[in-house]
Amino acid sequence: ITPIANLQNGQTATVLGKVVGKRLIRGGRGKGRPQMQFEATIADQTGRLNLFWFRAFPSLEEEFAEGDTFLVYGEVSFFGGFPKITHPDYEKVKE
């Protein structure tokens, strides 16, 4: 498990963090139906990590309740100086 502050661009990492924010973004139309994107932000003691899904289902927003803890895995990139993982694998951590 890698602390968020230690993430490097291009690295594949597993991060443990608590959901501190989320939003469902309704976009343009694709193949006759509206496209949605979902963004969740998780945090540990060292920083914040943004998670993105394109062509997301509304049910994804329900899975990421604020305060829940998740293990996420994927390739790290940076946008605006902040780390992100697009389409990460994830697992909710039970208490």
Side-chain angles (χ1 to χ4, degrees), residues 8-91:
Q8 301 291 318
N9 192 45
Q11 169 188 19
T12 301
T14 300
V15 176
L16 178 67
K18 188 173 286 196
V19 178
V20 295
K22 64 179 183 172
R23 66 185 180 139
L24 189 61
I25 305 159
R26 298 183 192 281
R29 299 184 73 80
K31 296 187 180 181
R33 58 181 185 245
Q35 296 294 311
M36 292 186 210
Q37 299 173 17
F38 178 65
E39 175 184 0
T41 302
I42 63 170
D44 64 11
Q45 292 102 345
T46 69
R48 292 176 175 236
L49 171 66
N50 294 317
L51 311 171
F52 289 98
W53 288 265
F54 299 99
R55 296 185 181 164
F57 293 100
S59 60
L60 188 57
E61 182 182 28
E62 296 169 12
E63 290 184 55
F64 282 81
E66 289 191 34
D68 286 350
T69 300
F70 281 84
L71 271 172
V72 297
Y73 173 82
E75 185 175 337
V76 178
S77 61
F78 281 75
F79 182 77
F82 296 97
K84 73 172 185 172
I85 298 177
T86 303
H87 293 275
D89 291 328
Y90 63 91
E91 182 176 332

